[in-house]
Amino acid sequence: MLIRSLAVLALIAVPIALPDAAVRPAIAQGEETAVAELMRATALDVVFSQFAATIAATARTEEISNDAIFLKHWEATANSVFDSRTLHERLARALEGKFSFDEQQTLAAFFRSGFGQRMTGLERGAALLGPAAQTQAISRGEAILAAAPVIRSTQIDQLMELVSAEISAAMVGQSLRALLLGLSVSHQHGQIAVPWEEIDTQVKAMMPDLLTNIGKTQRAMMAYAYRDLSDDELDRYIGFLRTPAAQKFYAIAAYAVGRIVADGMADFGEAFAARMQSVNV
């Protein structure tokens, strides 16, 4: 139950690649504007949009506790600590000053091209699927992969390596920390302490299986999203993702997202423990 729900979370929280937004060249634009455009083009302006709601809902969906006070404080803390506007602002600041004019131009040239817009259209269509349609798409993708020739299977593997894998791992890893935090605190009374060392040991042990399940789910969704593209078209896309500018962008973004959610989870743990301690006197 836990691994399956977090695998689906990875698809909800992290878009396959890029949503339908075009980046304008950075000529005569301030750096803040250029970063905002890049974030819109790569879905980083919405990467945290569902994170607070997901963490807030975890205590109920995973049946960590049915205590009304516990749930009230859990949800309030999650919505406060993981405010999406604040997190997106932190991410924008982390991206500022990292890219040269030429790198911005390389990214903009792709996102504005007809082919780039076609790719983002396909990806947006997959990202906007509702829960039932998403389940059907994953099933369809699994069937496509089962019958796929070696070249298509290899291309999907390459895309998995180039797009979103580290961001998915970071966000799902922190979501798992939240679940274990909730399970720990739900059994404590009086003085509340967050056993981060114990939690992180458990996370480390559980992540390999979790990432395997997430990877399978993401591969299936990619196979579904790109099902109508030719091998040459996918190679063209992979070629863009391998450019130094694209590689640098995703590497910096993945690191920044990872740091933001890790710091946020530490804040969440301490804030939640303080709330619960105030009612456990």
Side-chain angles (χ1 to χ4, degrees):
M1 172 66 177
L2 171 59
I3 287 180
R4 177 62 179 173
S5 64
L6 288 179
V8 173
L9 164 64
L11 286 176
I12 296 172
V14 183
I16 294 176
L18 315 169
D20 70 335
V23 173
R24 296 189 298 274
I27 299 175
Q29 292 184 11
E31 184 176 13
E32 183 177 335
T33 301
V35 167
E37 294 289 350
L38 280 172
M39 287 181 62
R40 282 196 291 274
T42 55
L44 291 175
D45 66 325
V46 295
V47 71
F48 299 120
S49 294
Q50 297 300 318
F51 197 65
T54 299
I55 299 300
T58 296
R60 293 181 188 271
T61 58
E62 296 300 330
E63 299 179 351
I64 292 175
S65 174
N66 59 6
D67 180 77
I69 294 177
F70 181 100
L71 295 172
K72 173 186 176 181
H73 286 296
W74 177 278
E75 292 162 359
T77 306
N79 288 321
S80 174
V81 172
F82 297 113
D83 174 69
S84 62
R85 180 174 180 178
T86 300
L87 299 184
H88 287 129
E89 288 175 351
R90 286 188 59 190
L91 180 55
R93 290 195 298 271
L95 295 174
E96 290 175 0
K98 301 298 192 301
F99 307 100
S100 69
F101 174 80
D102 288 343
E103 289 167 339
Q104 292 179 45
Q105 290 293 90
T106 296
L107 297 170
F110 176 79
F111 298 142
R112 296 186 70 205
S113 70
F115 178 68
Q117 291 181 26
R118 181 186 177 194
M119 295 302 299
T120 58
L122 291 175
E123 290 158 356
R124 181 174 178 80
L128 292 177
L129 293 175
Q134 188 177 80
T135 298
Q136 294 176 356
I138 292 170
S139 179
R140 175 86 180 278
E142 290 171 342
I144 291 171
L145 286 173
V150 174
I151 186 172
R152 180 52 61 104
S153 181
T154 300
Q155 288 174 323
I156 296 299
D157 288 339
Q158 291 171 338
L159 287 166
M160 286 287 294
E161 294 174 0
L162 292 167
V163 180
S164 295
E166 292 182 6
I167 293 178
S168 298
M171 298 188 76
V172 174
Q174 294 304 322
S175 299
L176 179 56
R177 290 181 89 208
L179 290 175
L180 297 175
L181 162 69
L183 290 170
S184 172
V185 173
S186 68
H187 294 94
Q188 295 185 38
H189 302 282
Q191 187 76 20
I192 302 294
V194 180
W196 283 124
E197 185 174 346
E198 178 183 335
I199 287 172
D200 288 339
T201 297
Q202 291 179 279
V203 170
K204 184 177 180 180
M206 296 173 69
M207 281 301 288
D209 286 342
L210 181 57
L211 292 177
T212 296
N213 280 271
I214 292 169
K216 290 178 180 178
T217 303
Q218 289 182 309
R219 285 185 85 250
M221 184 58 81
M222 281 189 172
Y224 173 81
Y226 304 133
R227 66 194 183 282
D228 294 328
L229 295 176
S230 69
D231 293 340
D232 287 343
E233 288 170 327
L234 266 188
D235 277 340
R236 181 180 175 186
Y237 187 38
I238 290 169
F240 162 71
L241 293 175
R242 283 179 171 158
T243 61
Q247 287 287 282
K248 179 179 177 180
F249 181 82
Y250 282 109
I252 291 174
Y255 177 80
V257 169
R259 287 308 320 156
I260 289 168
V261 293
D263 291 345
M265 193 55 64
D267 292 341
F268 173 77
E270 299 310 315
F272 180 64
R275 280 177 175 266
M276 291 304 298
Q277 187 169 313
S278 71
V279 300
N280 282 342
V281 294

